[in-house]
Amino acid sequence: MASIDERTAPRLRTREDLLQLIRANEDVTRAELVELTRMSRSTVNQAVGRLLADGRITESEARAQGRGSGSGRPATRLRAVADGAPVAGIDFGHNHVHVAVADALGKSIADERVSLDVDLRATDAMDVAVDLLEKIRRDQGIDQLSTLVAGIPGPLDTRTGLVRSPTILSSWVGLAPADELRARLHDVEHVHVENDAVLGAYGELRAGAGRYRRAFLYVKASHGIGAGLVIDGAPFKGANGLAGEIGHTNLPGHTEICRCGNRGCLEAVVSVQALMAQLVHTHPTTDPAQITLSTFDDGITRRLLDEAGRELGRVLASLCNLLNPDALVVGGELAAAGSSFLEGVEQAVLRHTQPATAAALEIMPAHLGIRAEVTGALQMAAAAAVR
């Protein structure tokens, strides 16, 4: 394989970075790219010219003058070209399987979601995911998929491809999910598996609250608690892919038993299951089978959500002091349950983070909501297909 000249490599990275921005932002102008990337106008123009010459993007005149178009001739708009086979994404949550198919640019075509105990039924979960994917392909008339990316709610060793923790995904330990999926999907060219919080962070980076940000922390607060860190526009996974496992951080003063065998873990105190148990206890006249996180909007429920947010926020404050991100993006089902949870997170983070760090930090809900992980899977699959 021919090596790339060191002087050429930065220009190649510039073109790929710009292509990803154009893919994520339809009808973006050159001036907007300059503003978003802080690159010089000449650098952007050179990279855009090459992408146009290679047929990877198209350029058309804007219908109306918009931001970055100036006062003279209307700015032209850039759009990526979808010139490959569709891609697929799978989000294995602790209690659900979410499957989606997208075009070559990562734009969703169709998706299916079912409830399932993923932790204890690894083989069933993968069989169900493949069945859902085949159903979508039949319904949409899709013959070929170029790339599949899947996310699992637990630690995955990127060096071996094996699930590592028997206390988090007991029926998955020792399995190589990518190999298992390849064996079931013979006609998919490339299969890749990531931690679900990494995919949530990537989804927000490419199509949500993390767009244009160089360093942000994404937190998925759902049946489990996980974090994904983006540094310099790329996910940080740690030495062997196990970064972000914050769900088993010990909380002083708590004795709740956790599925990992310890007591007082963050996940045992702040999770969908923990909140649901408290709602059942505080609303004894309601059928437990009918209770969801959004069933009640009373003072007791808001207080429970606020306190859960504060517990999470105290842990996140330490991470913010260490990492100094410019944004904290909170996703998952708890973030979607109402403003009280997010307000609790924000109050605790601002209270326990150093003032200078807090001043540079923006705290916000995930723009993609509970679709962040599957969107990240589709976006990562599309990016891999381009490369």
Side-chain angles (χ1 to χ4, degrees):
M1 181 181 295
S3 62
I4 297 175
D5 186 275
E6 290 184 0
R7 294 168 296 177
T8 306
R11 292 198 295 273
L12 291 175
R13 287 197 296 271
T14 297
R15 289 203 297 273
E16 293 303 321
D17 288 345
L18 283 179
L19 179 60
Q20 293 298 336
L21 271 177
I22 295 168
R23 288 165 67 92
N25 301 274
E26 268 192 25
D27 296 330
V28 66
T29 68
R30 297 178 191 230
E32 287 169 344
L33 289 175
V34 170
E35 181 181 343
L36 295 172
T37 63
R38 298 181 182 177
M39 296 176 183
S40 69
R41 185 176 298 275
S42 62
T43 299
V44 168
N45 284 335
Q46 183 180 15
V48 166
R50 184 63 189 212
L51 291 171
L52 287 168
D54 291 344
R56 304 176 76 181
I57 63 174
T58 61
E59 188 171 32
S60 60
E61 187 172 302
R63 295 181 180 179
Q65 196 165 310
R67 180 169 67 92
S69 61
S71 58
R73 187 177 64 181
T76 56
R77 299 282 176 177
L78 305 170
R79 177 176 294 191
V81 174
D83 58 355
V87 299
I90 302 174
D91 170 30
F92 291 106
H94 288 290
N95 291 75
H96 71 262
V97 177
H98 192 175
V99 180
V101 171
D103 66 16
L105 297 178
K107 296 177 183 177
S108 182
I109 296 171
D111 65 291
E112 297 276 351
R113 181 184 174 114
V114 298
S115 297
L116 184 71
D117 186 344
V118 170
D119 293 6
L120 300 179
R121 300 170 60 186
T123 300
D124 288 346
M126 285 185 278
D127 288 341
V128 166
V130 170
D131 289 344
L132 291 175
L133 180 57
E134 295 301 331
K135 177 181 182 298
I136 294 173
R137 292 177 66 175
R138 288 193 304 270
D139 292 346
Q140 300 296 323
I142 296 173
D143 296 325
Q144 182 67 40
L145 291 172
S146 66
T147 306
L148 166 72
V149 171
I152 63 169
L156 181 75
D157 191 326
T158 55
R159 297 176 300 185
T160 64
L162 300 177
V163 178
R164 291 286 298 272
S165 176
T167 59
I168 299 177
L169 293 172
S170 57
S171 67
W172 293 70
V173 67
L175 290 178
D179 292 341
E180 296 285 338
L181 290 170
R182 285 190 197 100
R184 292 165 169 81
L185 295 165
H186 304 289
D187 62 339
V188 179
E189 296 178 29
H190 305 288
V191 177
H192 180 70
V193 177
E194 286 281 0
N195 173 266
D196 62 345
V198 170
L199 291 183
Y202 195 81
E204 292 293 328
L205 171 67
R206 293 301 181 197
R211 283 189 294 180
Y212 325 135
R213 295 183 183 275
R214 303 303 294 176
F216 72 90
L217 183 65
Y218 170 81
V219 179
K220 179 183 179 182
S222 188
H223 293 274
I225 307 293
L229 176 64
V230 171
I231 299 177
D232 288 336
F236 176 78
K237 305 175 188 178
N240 57 342
L242 306 182
E245 291 295 328
I246 65 171
H248 301 279
T249 302
N250 182 261
L251 301 180
H254 284 276
T255 59
E256 292 87 338
I257 187 69
C258 181
R259 59 181 163 184
C260 74
N262 288 328
R263 289 183 177 272
C265 290
L266 174 63
E267 187 173 295
V269 178
V270 182
S271 67
V272 170
Q273 297 97 312
L275 265 294
M276 289 292 292
Q278 293 179 67
L279 289 175
V280 170
H281 178 73
T282 56
H283 298 80
T285 60
T286 304
D287 181 0
Q290 302 300 316
I291 294 178
T292 69
L293 290 175
S294 59
T295 300
F296 308 106
D297 186 25
D298 53 24
I300 294 175
T301 302
R302 289 193 292 273
R303 182 174 180 177
L304 290 175
L305 287 168
D306 177 83
E307 182 54 35
R310 289 175 185 270
E311 291 283 8
L312 176 59
R314 283 188 278 272
V315 173
L316 296 180
S318 296
L319 293 179
C320 291
N321 282 330
L322 172 66
L323 301 169
N324 185 212
D326 61 7
L328 172 61
V329 181
V330 186
E333 293 174 71
L334 289 178
S339 60
S340 296
F341 181 78
L342 290 168
E343 289 168 0
V345 170
E346 182 172 14
Q347 290 299 316
V349 169
L350 296 179
R351 168 66 178 82
H352 297 285
T353 302
Q354 290 296 310
T357 301
L361 180 67
E362 187 174 358
I363 303 171
M364 67 188 78
H367 288 185
L368 300 173
I370 61 173
R371 294 185 61 87
E373 284 69 33
V374 75
T375 300
L378 293 175
Q379 289 291 324
M380 188 173 288
V386 168
R387 289 194 295 270

